[in-house]
C-alpha cells in the first residue's frame, strides 16, 4: 500500500512499524468545594515537582543525544513551567472558579499556547508546541499517568505516531528510529524539524495511522513524502539498497564537511553559506560552511507588524557571530522593496518594483530605521567577525552616505561607552551593472565586494528574474555577465580587496571552475549546495580553472560557455 503525505525530512529508510500511541488524557469534570481548594492546589504543586524532575532528565538525554542547543530547549521548558503567570492562572481558576486542577491546567495552557500557535513565524509556532507539551506532562503527572517517552524502543523501527512532541523526540535514538511517519503536521512541525536535525527520513501529515500495524514492513520515501507499507520482496530489496545508499551519502557528506576547500595545487577558497535567520547557522555548519557570505536580514523586518528593535536585532546578529566562533559573517543591511513586501512599513506599490524604492535607497532615506540596524550590527561586532554589506549600491555617493551614517553610529556608541569593532569591514553587493562597471572607483571606498548574480543578471540582461515566460533568457553565464564579473574581481584585486559571490551562480557546479579561474575569492551559497561545490574545488587545480575561464571568455554565447564547462566537468567525472 502506498500512502501520500508531505515531505518532512529527505532520504529513504526501511524498517518495521512501531506505533507510538499515548493513553488519552481525560479531563475530569468535577468542581472543587471550598474546603478542598488547598488540597487541589497541592496536587498541582506535587505534579509540578515531578514535571521539573522529568524535564531535567530529558534535558540530560538531549545533551547526550543531540547537543547543547537541543538541551537548551528543555531548560527553556523548565523556565516556562515555572513561569508565575502559568501557576497563578491555574491557581486562580481553582480558587475563584472552583475549576478542578486538570481542567484549570488545560484551559490555562490552551490560552498560553494559542497566542504562539496563531503566529505566522514557524519559530514562534514551535514555542506554542513547547507550551502544549509542558501542559500535557503536567496533566499526566496530576492524573498519575505514565510519562511519555521513546527511550524504551529497540531494534530498527519506522516510528509511526499521531504527532511527536519536543520531549518525545529528545530521547529519540537515530540508531533505533530509522524513519518517522506522523499523521499530523507538515514541514514546519516540531517532528519534521527534529527529523531534519537528526537526518532521519520523515513523512508528515498522512492523515491517520490506522493503516499501520506494529511489525509491518514500511518504507519512508522522505524526499517524495510517500510511505510504502508491505511492498513486494523485489521492491523491498530495492528500497533497502536505496536506504543504504542514503546512509552512505550522509557519511560522505559529514566527512567532506570537515575537509578544507582547497584545490589540488594548494589554493584555499572561502566556501561560505547563505542564511536568512540565526538558526540557519547550524545547518550551514553541518554542510561545511566556513563562514557566512550572505545573511539576508529582511526576514527580521518581514515577519512582524512592527519594525525590529535595536536590541532584538543585536541579539540575533550576536547569536550568528557567536555560533560561527570567529569565522567571518557578512551581514547585509535590509534589502526590502522589490519582491519583498513589508507589513511594518507602508510602501507604495510601484510599476517596476525591482527598479524602484528598495534596499539601500530606503535605508538612506530613513536614517531612523537604518541607524537602528547599523547600531545593532556594530554592537554585535564585539562578539565575532561581523562584516557589514550594503545592497543595491549603484553609485559612490550611496556608499559615502551609508558610511557617514555608520560613522555617526560609531561615534554614538563610543560616547555611550558601548563596545564594538572599530575596524569592522564594510563591503557592498555588486548587483547593479553600473556598480560593476565603476568597481575600480568603488573599490577605493570599501573593503570587499560580493557579486549578487541574481540581480546583476536580471539588470544586465533586462530579464525579470521572476518571469518564467522569459526564463530561458536568464543566463548568468552570458558573455556580458561574465565580463562584468571578471572586471569586478580584477578591480578588487588591483586594490588588494576581495570579491565574493552570493548569488545563485556561486552554488552552480557548472560555473565553479570558471569563477575560480577568474579569481573569485569567496563562494557563498545555499547550505545544501556546499558539499558538491567543495568536491569540485578539491578535485581541480587553480591553473586548470584559469585555462577554462580564459577559454570561456573567448566564446560567443552563454550556450557555448555552458556546454564547454559541462564537458570539462564530465571529462573529470564531476558531473
Ligand atoms: C542577488 O541579487 O544575487 C542576491 C544574492 O540578493 P537577493 O537574491 O537577496 O536579491
Ligand atoms: Mg539582490
Amino acid at each position: 500500500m502506498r500512502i501520500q503525505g508531505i515531505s518532512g525530512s529527505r532520504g529513504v529508510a526501511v524498517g518495521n512499524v512501531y506505533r507510538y500511541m499515548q493513553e488519552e488524557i481525560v479531563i475530569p469534570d468535577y468542581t472543587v468545594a471550598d474546603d478542598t481548594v488547598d488540597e487541589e492546589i497541592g496536587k498541582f504543586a506535587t505534579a509540578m515537582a515531578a514535571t521539573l524532575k522529568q524535564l531535567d532528565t530529558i534535558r540530560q538525554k538531549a545533551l547526550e543525544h543531540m547537543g547543547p542547543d537541543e538541551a537548551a530547549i528543555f531548560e527553556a521548558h523548565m523556565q516556562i513551567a515555572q513561569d508565575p503567570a502559568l501557576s497563578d492562572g491555574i491557581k486562580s481558576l481553582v480558587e475563584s472558579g472552583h475549576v478542578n486542577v486538570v481542567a484549570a491546567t488545560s484551559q490555562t495552557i490552551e490560552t498560553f499556547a494559542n497566542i504562539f500557535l496563531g503566529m505566522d513565524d514557524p519559530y514562534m509556532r514551535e514555542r506554542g508546541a513547547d507550551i502544549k507539551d509542558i501542559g500535557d506532562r503536567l496533566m499526566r503527572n496530576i492524573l498519575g499517568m505514565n510519562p511519555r517517552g521513546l527511550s524504551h524502543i529497540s531494534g530498527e523501527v519506522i516510528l509511526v505516531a499521531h504527532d511527536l512532541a519536543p520531549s518525545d523526540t529528545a530521547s529519540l535514538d537515530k540508531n533505533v528510529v530509522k524513519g518517522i511517519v506522523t499523521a499530523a503536521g507538515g514541514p514546519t512541525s516540531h517532528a519534521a524539524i527534529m527529523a531534519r536535525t537528526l537526518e532521519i527520513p520523515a513523512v508528515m501529515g498522512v492523515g491517520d495511522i490506522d493503516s499501520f500495524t506494529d511489525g509491518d514492513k514500511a518504507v519512508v520515501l522522505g524526499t517524495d513524502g510517500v510511505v510504502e507499507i508491505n511492498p513486494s520482496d523485489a521492491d523491498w530489496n530495492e528500497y533497502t539498497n536505496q536506504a543504504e545508499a542514503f546512509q552512505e551519502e550522509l557519511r560522505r557528506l559529514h566527512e567532506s564537511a570537515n575537509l578544507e576547500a582547497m584545490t589540488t595545487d594548494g589554493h584555499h577558497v572561502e566556501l561560505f553559506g547563505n542564511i536568512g535567520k540565526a538558526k540557519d547557522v547550524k545547518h550551514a555548519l553541518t554542510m561545511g560552511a566556513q563562514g557566512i557570505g550572505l545573511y539576508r536580514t529582511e526576514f527580521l523586518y518581514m515577519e512582524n507588524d512592527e519594525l525590529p528593535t535595536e536590541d532584538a536585532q543585536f541579539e540575533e546578529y550576536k547569536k550568528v557571530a557567536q555560533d560561527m566562533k570567529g569565522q567571518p559573517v557578512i551581514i547585509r543591511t535590509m534589502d526590502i522593496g522589490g519582491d519583498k513586501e513589508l507589513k511594518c512599513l507602508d510602501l507604495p506599490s510601484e510599476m517596476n518594483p525591482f527598479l524602484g524604492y528598495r534596499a539601500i535607497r530606503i535605508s538612506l532615506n530613513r536614517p531612523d530605521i537604518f541607524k537602528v540596524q547599523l547600531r545593532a550590527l556594530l554592537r554585535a561586532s564585539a562578539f565575532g567577525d561581523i562584516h557589514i554589506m550594503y545592497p543595491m549600491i549603484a553609485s559612490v555617493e550611496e556608499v559615502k552616505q551609508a558610511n557617514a551614517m555608520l560613522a555617526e553610529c560609531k561615534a554614538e556608541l563610543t560616547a555611550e561607552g558601548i563596545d564594538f569593532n572599530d575596524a569592522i569591514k564594510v563591503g557592498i553587493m555588486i548587483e547593479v551593472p553600473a556598480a560593476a562597471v565603476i568597481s575600480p572607483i568603488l573599490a577605493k571606498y570599501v573593503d570587499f565586494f560580493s557579486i549578487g548574480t541574481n540581480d546583476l543578471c536580471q539588470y544586465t540582461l533586462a530579464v525579470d528574474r521572476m518571469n518564467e515566460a522569459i526564463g530561458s533568457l536568464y543566463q548568468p553565464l552570458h558573455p556580458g555577465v561574465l565580463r562584468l564579473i571578471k572586471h569586478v574581481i580584477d578591480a578588487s584585486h588591483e586594490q588588494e580587496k576581495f570579491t565574493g559571490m552570493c548569488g545563485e551562480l556561486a552554488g552552480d557546479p557548472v560555473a565553479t571552475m570558471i569563477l575560480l579561474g577568474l579569481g573569485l575569492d569567496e563562494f557563498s551559497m545555499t547550505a545544501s549546495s556546499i558539499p558538491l561545490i567543495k568536491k569540485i574545488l578539491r578535485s581541480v587545480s587553480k591553473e586548470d580553472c584559469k585555462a577554462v575561464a580564459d577559454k570561456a571568455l573567448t566564446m560567443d554565447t552563454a550556450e557555448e560557455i555552458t556546454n564547454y564547462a559541462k564537458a570539462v566537468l564530465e571529462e573529470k567525472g564531476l558531473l
Side-chain angles (χ1 to χ4, degrees):
M1 186 160 81
R2 194 178 171 87
I3 300 175
Q4 182 71 51
I6 303 162
S7 169
S9 173
R10 72 180 192 102
V12 179
V14 295
N16 293 330
V17 168
Y18 178 92
R19 275 166 54 118
Y20 178 54
M21 306 268 281
Q22 282 296 312
E23 218 183 317
E24 287 270 318
I25 296 175
V26 181
I27 298 173
D29 62 0
Y30 65 89
T31 48
V32 182
D34 276 341
D35 57 352
T36 56
V37 163
D38 285 348
E39 190 188 317
E40 195 73 6
I41 288 177
K43 288 188 205 164
F44 175 71
T46 314
M48 177 59 84
T51 298
L52 291 176
K53 213 165 145 206
Q54 289 162 4
L55 286 174
D56 195 39
T57 311
I58 295 170
R59 186 189 60 77
Q60 285 168 25
K61 277 200 183 134
L63 191 61
E64 270 167 44
H65 288 294
M66 298 191 227
D69 280 359
E70 279 70 23
I73 296 176
F74 298 99
E75 245 163 66
H77 275 207
M78 292 169 78
Q79 274 164 16
I80 297 171
Q82 292 176 86
D83 186 336
L86 184 66
S87 48
D88 289 353
I90 295 169
K91 282 180 195 160
S92 111
L93 276 175
V94 177
E95 278 164 3
S96 3
H98 295 274
V99 180
N100 73 67
V101 67
V102 181
T105 305
S106 165
Q107 284 173 31
T108 312
I109 286 287
E110 191 82 12
T111 316
F112 264 61
N114 282 345
I115 298 173
F116 290 96
L117 291 169
M119 295 182 178
D120 285 343
D121 182 347
Y123 176 78
M124 293 315 250
R125 279 206 301 274
E126 274 279 290
R127 302 289 73 78
D130 287 335
I131 295 168
K132 270 192 163 324
D133 191 11
I134 296 162
D136 216 67
R137 182 170 296 281
L138 268 170
M139 288 189 277
R140 281 175 194 280
N141 281 324
I142 301 172
L143 292 164
M145 295 164 76
N146 285 334
R148 297 176 62 133
L150 286 166
S151 44
H152 56 282
I153 315 177
S154 55
E156 292 197 347
V157 304
I158 301 297
L159 181 66
V160 180
H162 176 69
D163 199 0
L164 293 172
S167 59
D168 293 326
T169 48
S171 47
L172 211 148
D173 181 348
K174 61 191 276 191
N175 295 318
V176 175
V177 176
K178 294 290 162 192
I180 293 174
V181 180
T182 62
T188 59
S189 68
H190 171 78
I193 292 169
M194 230 10 139
R196 289 198 291 274
T197 305
L198 292 170
E199 298 172 317
I200 300 175
V203 174
M204 333 315 291
V206 295
D208 62 57
I209 58 172
D210 297 344
S211 333
F212 295 86
T213 310
D214 275 332
D216 272 355
K217 280 183 176 168
V219 182
V220 175
L221 300 165
T223 313
D224 306 326
V226 169
V227 190
E228 291 259 7
I229 308 176
N230 293 327
S232 69
D233 284 350
D235 283 353
W236 176 256
N237 290 340
E238 169 58 25
Y239 287 134
T240 306
N241 289 341
Q242 286 184 21
E244 277 163 13
F246 174 64
Q247 290 304 325
E248 184 52 36
E249 184 198 327
L250 288 181
R251 261 192 297 279
R252 274 206 311 271
L253 218 136
H254 292 159
E255 270 167 27
S256 84
N258 300 321
L259 296 176
E260 195 186 345
M262 171 138 20
T263 59
T264 53
D265 50 352
H267 178 81
H268 173 82
V269 183
E270 304 283 9
L271 194 52
F272 291 0
N274 290 353
I275 61 166
K277 285 249 175 158
K279 61 184 165 58
D280 300 340
V281 164
K282 196 170 167 185
H283 187 227
L285 287 172
T286 309
M287 292 292 161
Q290 294 148 348
I292 299 299
L294 171 64
Y295 172 9
R296 291 181 164 99
T297 57
E298 296 73 76
F299 296 105
L300 283 170
Y301 293 82
M302 286 158 73
E303 63 195 3
N304 289 315
D305 292 339
E306 277 165 31
L307 288 161
T309 62
E310 180 182 315
D311 281 345
Q313 293 189 58
F314 163 66
E315 291 298 337
E316 178 90 0
Y317 305 150
K318 176 177 146 193
K319 180 154 176 34
V320 177
Q322 286 179 327
D323 288 352
M324 288 307 294
K325 299 195 172 68
Q327 303 191 93
V329 176
I330 302 179
I331 306 186
R332 177 174 76 183
T333 61
M334 65 168 197
D335 182 9
I336 36 196
D339 57 327
K340 296 161 192 141
E341 277 181 38
L342 207 59
K343 277 188 276 179
C344 58
L345 206 69
D346 199 14
L347 295 172
S349 52
E350 300 179 354
M351 286 280 280
N352 293 298
F354 275 116
L355 303 178
Y357 186 51
R358 62 173 288 205
I360 196 72
R361 299 170 184 180
I362 300 180
S363 295
L364 294 177
N365 192 39
R366 292 290 304 265
D368 55 320
I369 301 175
F370 191 39
K371 282 180 68 180
V372 169
Q373 182 167 35
L374 293 176
R375 281 177 56 103
L377 286 166
L378 285 169
R379 283 170 59 192
S381 71
F383 297 88
D385 187 13
I386 287 183
H387 298 25
I388 294 178
M389 177 159 72
Y390 308 132
M392 278 289 290
I393 291 291
S395 70
V396 167
E397 289 92 325
E398 286 165 342
V399 181
K400 282 187 174 173
Q401 280 177 47
N403 278 342
M405 286 191 209
L406 184 66
E408 278 173 37
C409 293
K410 284 185 174 183
E412 284 169 19
L413 291 176
T414 307
E416 291 163 35
I418 299 174
D419 249 12
F420 63 91
N421 173 15
D422 193 33
I424 189 167
K425 290 208 162 59
V426 180
I428 57 174
M429 299 260 319
I430 299 283
E431 46 190 349
V432 176
V437 173
I438 63 162
S439 53
I441 306 174
L442 286 165
K444 291 191 274 184
Y445 298 88
V446 298
D447 296 308
F448 66 93
F449 295 142
S450 184
I451 306 177
T453 48
N454 305 342
D455 279 318
L456 184 63
C457 185
Q458 81 161 343
Y459 295 136
T460 306
L461 303 177
V463 176
D464 181 346
R465 67 195 252 192
M466 317 287 272
N467 187 341
E468 281 169 25
I470 47 171
S472 62
L473 299 178
Y474 187 87
Q475 300 169 328
L477 289 178
H478 185 289
V481 180
L482 219 51
R483 276 165 173 70
L484 284 180
I485 294 173
K486 177 178 167 27
H487 181 62
V488 173
I489 296 172
D490 290 347
S492 69
H493 289 173
E494 264 157 36
Q495 298 184 47
E496 285 166 18
K497 310 284 165 82
F498 74 89
T499 295
M501 179 178 287
C502 56
E504 291 299 308
L505 189 65
D508 181 349
V510 175
T512 310
M513 290 186 74
I514 297 177
L515 295 174
L516 185 63
L518 292 176
L520 190 72
D521 302 292
E522 171 245 298
F523 293 63
S524 189
M525 61 201 70
T526 314
S528 54
S529 304
I530 294 175
L532 177 58
I533 302 299
K534 189 185 277 185
K535 184 174 159 194
I536 296 174
L537 290 171
R538 287 178 56 84
S539 315
V540 299
S541 70
K542 178 131 190 216
E543 273 318 297
D544 275 357
C545 292
K546 272 200 188 119
V548 171
D550 285 348
K551 183 147 180 203
L553 283 168
T554 66
M555 294 178 168
D556 298 346
T557 65
E559 193 186 355
E560 253 181 274
I561 296 171
T562 307
N563 289 342
Y564 165 62
K566 277 188 180 162
V568 175
L569 284 180
E570 260 162 28
E571 198 182 298
K572 293 180 178 294
L574 290 168
L575 200 66

